[in-house]
Every structure is written in structure tokens, then in C-alpha cells.
Amino acid sequence: MKSDTTARAAAAVAALALASAAFPLAAAPFDHLSSARPEANGARQLEVGVDAMNDTLDVFDIRGDDPVYRGTNVGDYRGAHLRGGLQLAPNWWIDGSLWRRRIDYRNDSGSLTTWQLGAQWRFRDAPDGGIAWALRGSVWGNRADGLDKSSPTTLAGYTLDSVNIERPRDTQWQLDVIGTKGDADASISWYAGVQRGQVRYSSLNGTARAGNCPYAVAIGDTQTMLTQTASCSGAGGTVAAGTQVSVSNAAFGLNPRDALEYDATVLRVGVNGARRWGDWRLRAGLGYEHHDRGDALENSAHSLSGAYDSGNFSAMLELAYRFTPTITGFVRGTAWQHQLMGEVPFLYNAVTAKRSDRRYGVATVGVMAEF
């Protein structure tokens, strides 16, 4: 009985961790648009956008080339965001943004909220399009009430009927130095920064099945509790509903907190450019991030996934048209080398590391008010 229970617990832990792997998503906190002169397009700015990804929008066939997920709804994404910025004084700028998004994974979907607040001080200005320098501080993060996987999963001979990770979340603190040369008609900007963040969750739960016996499974920091939810017959006779078995997590060599939680330091650099032709405007940016998540997470990722990635490239391209002196419409595309890294940090952990080595992109259509 003890060996079967331990096997059930080990299978449950592995499947429960899949709840956080089920929803591939990335959506940048606007780093690609960094500028030491954000007010160049207006001292007050408001942006509303609709974000999506599906087979129709995958014009570069990023998902279509995937050997596992092509032809499925995995990674289908729809959402919206609101972003605003204000020039408080000649050298001071503040901004904030909020996203709501929904991601599909076969028969399941997950809803996430992302938020961001930032303040920027231009400590060196330059007339006539010379180089301006600014220091920017921001705090941002992601939240979900829970992520579920309701489809059956078979591991170690046992069926996991459902898995759930409750309140996955991350919080990030970021400091950047930004340089910009040029003006509102043509400019180039570059940035370098450091980010410190943490990834947390509240609890891991799910249901498992061994033969015809159903179990509710709760994974604690040191113990896994299996509670039988219905009476069933086994080799030793009938076991009543409500029977509980507790197993030490050390029995299957996994510390869930090491696998799913971590603190991280991120170093980032990037460059972007903007050019205006009459009412048309083109903006493009490239970025790179290096992630240090600590030895515990890295070792756990190698053990559970056989993979670990610390670097991630990204790119953004935007075409906009000014309909009135204050209203501009735009189409924007953003792509990432490793889909889960950096932009929604809580979706990267020791189990999802093996799925992160996939490209991903999001298309955005929206309107900006700049005045």
C-alpha cells in the first residue's frame, strides 16, 4: 500500500505542475517602446488595444511549424489592454497599464491579469535632437486565480483526472537607463537595466485515480495528502471514502517549492527606432534578457524537464496611421524566442522549462490618443 501511495503521490505532483505549463503566453511590458523622450508624441497618452493569436493571425506560421501543437488550439490567445502616460513636469513621466487575457489549451482555458506602473526622470536633456538620458523605475506583475488542467493525464500507471495550481503570481521590480537620439519625426533609443522578481503560488491540488479508486490530492511544502473520495474495492478489501494517506515529499525526491517558486535577477538590453512620414509612423525594437533564477530552480529544471534556458530574444514591429491630430490607429506584432520567459514569469518553472523552447507571437490592433 505504501509503495502504491508513494507512486500515486509522485504522479500527482508531476501532473499538478503541468497546470502551470498548460498556458503558453507572452506579452511584453512595453520595453520595446522605451524612450528617454516619451512625451515627444504627446504630454498625455492613452492606448487601448485588442491582443490575439490564432491560426489566422499566425502569418509567419510560428505555431504551424510546431511538431506537437500544430493544428490544435493550444496557445490561442485573446485579450485587451489599457495603457496611459502623463508628463508631470518637463523631465518627469509616469505611466501605467493593465491587461486582461485568456489563453486556450485544448479543452481548458486560463485567465490572467497583468499590471504595470512606471516613473521616469530625464536627468540629461539635449537640444536639437541630441542624446538625452533618462532613469526609469517600474514595478509590474501577473496574477491568476488559478490554472486548471481538466483532461485526463496518465503518469506512472495512474490517471490524473484534473490538476490545479491556485493563485500563481509574480512581482517584478525593474530599473533601466535609457538613451534617445532624435526627435518626434525620427529617433533611435537604447536601454539597459536590471530586474529583480519573485514567483509564488498558494497551493497545488487535484484528483487522481488508481484502478477504480478516486483520490483528492493536496501537495504541501513537505507532505502530500491523498484523500479517498469514494468507497472502492482493492486487493485488501473495501476501503471507505474519506480514508487519508500522508506521504513525505522526500519519498519521491521532489520539493514542489523548489520546482515552482523562485526569486530571479534579470539583466536586459534593447534598442528601438521610430520614423514618421506624414501621418504614417513605423516603430521597431529588439530586446534580450538574461535570467538567473537560482541553483535550486535550475537543478530542478534539469531533473524534471531535461532543459533550462536563461536567455531570450524578442522583437516588435508597429505600423501606425494618424487619423486626426490626436487619434492614431496601429497594428503591432511582438515575437519571442522562448515563449514563457520573462514576460509572464510565473509560467516558467522546472516542469514548463521543457516547453519554453518554442517561438511565440501576439498581434495587437488598437488606438492611441496623443495630445
Side-chain angles (χ1 to χ4, degrees):
M1 174 67 179
K2 183 176 180 181
S3 61
D4 284 350
T5 302
T6 301
R8 295 186 194 106
V13 169
L16 286 167
L18 291 177
S20 62
F23 305 100
L25 169 70
F30 296 111
D31 280 350
H32 294 109
L33 302 179
S34 296
S35 171
R37 296 192 183 100
E39 78 285 356
N41 295 308
R44 296 174 296 276
Q45 298 176 15
L46 182 66
E47 174 179 310
V48 179
V50 177
D51 316 306
M53 175 49 63
N54 52 46
D55 286 341
T56 301
L57 295 173
D58 188 14
V59 295
F60 295 109
D61 209 28
I62 293 176
R63 298 192 319 160
D65 288 338
D66 191 285
V68 177
Y69 295 132
R70 61 187 174 194
T72 74
N73 72 334
V74 174
D76 278 6
Y77 162 75
R78 55 201 181 277
H81 73 263
L82 176 67
R83 182 193 186 206
L86 175 66
Q87 184 181 23
L88 289 179
N91 289 350
W92 284 93
W93 177 267
I94 60 171
D95 57 67
S97 54
L98 182 69
W99 288 267
R100 285 290 295 169
R101 23 188 181 224
R102 188 176 182 89
I103 313 98
D104 294 332
Y105 181 79
R106 303 193 192 280
N107 296 324
D108 299 309
S109 62
S111 296
L112 308 175
T113 299
T114 303
W115 57 274
Q116 181 189 39
L117 295 171
Q120 187 168 311
W121 170 52
R122 187 165 57 246
F123 59 86
R124 183 188 176 199
D125 216 335
D128 303 323
I131 298 178
W133 292 94
L135 187 66
R136 175 178 172 81
S138 61
V139 57
W140 55 279
N142 302 272
R143 297 287 187 273
D145 291 336
L147 295 178
D148 302 293
K149 186 174 186 293
S150 61
S151 56
T153 301
T154 301
L155 291 171
Y158 299 97
T159 299
L160 285 298
D161 300 314
S162 66
V163 292
N164 168 266
I165 181 169
E166 293 187 357
R167 293 190 64 232
R169 57 199 183 274
D170 63 73
T171 304
Q172 315 295 318
W173 295 267
Q174 187 173 329
L175 184 66
D176 298 289
V177 176
I178 308 169
T180 296
K181 179 176 176 57
D183 53 28
D185 290 329
S187 66
I188 183 170
S189 299
W190 54 93
Y191 64 87
V194 62
Q195 170 188 321
R196 183 66 178 169
Q198 59 179 214
V199 172
R200 299 290 186 266
Y201 71 93
S202 293
S203 62
L204 286 167
N205 303 284
T207 60
R209 184 172 295 273
N212 64 342
C213 297
Y215 295 88
V217 184
I219 309 296
D221 290 351
T222 60
Q223 299 285 325
T224 294
M225 179 66 69
L226 295 96
T227 302
Q228 193 163 309
T229 56
S231 299
C232 65
S233 299
T238 300
V239 182
T243 299
Q244 292 186 321
V245 177
S246 179
V247 181
S248 170
N249 291 343
F252 44 84
L254 176 65
N255 183 331
R257 296 290 172 180
D258 282 351
L260 303 178
E261 287 191 343
Y262 55 90
D263 294 335
T265 299
V266 183
L267 302 179
R268 61 178 73 243
V269 294
V271 61
N272 66 75
R275 182 71 168 90
R276 187 183 292 277
W277 295 271
D279 291 327
W280 290 93
R281 182 176 67 194
L282 182 68
R283 295 195 288 188
L286 295 172
Y288 175 77
E289 302 169 346
H290 177 79
H291 298 256
D292 181 356
R293 304 180 184 87
D295 292 339
L297 190 281
E298 183 172 354
N299 293 337
S300 192
H302 283 300
S303 175
L304 294 175
S305 291
Y308 178 81
D309 292 303
S310 58
N312 193 26
F313 284 98
S314 59
M316 182 275 296
L317 182 65
E318 176 192 278
L319 180 64
Y321 181 78
R322 186 169 54 196
F323 294 101
T324 75
T326 59
I327 301 299
T328 299
F330 69 90
V331 178
R332 180 185 302 149
T334 313
W336 297 267
Q337 177 191 18
H338 298 300
Q339 57 184 343
L340 302 181
M341 292 178 57
E343 314 306 332
V344 184
F346 77 68
L347 291 180
Y348 189 95
N349 56 52
V351 177
T352 64
K354 63 186 174 184
R355 290 181 169 82
S356 74
D357 195 17
R358 284 179 164 86
R359 295 171 297 156
Y360 193 71
V362 170
T364 303
V365 177
V367 176
M368 293 178 277
E370 303 168 321
F371 52 97

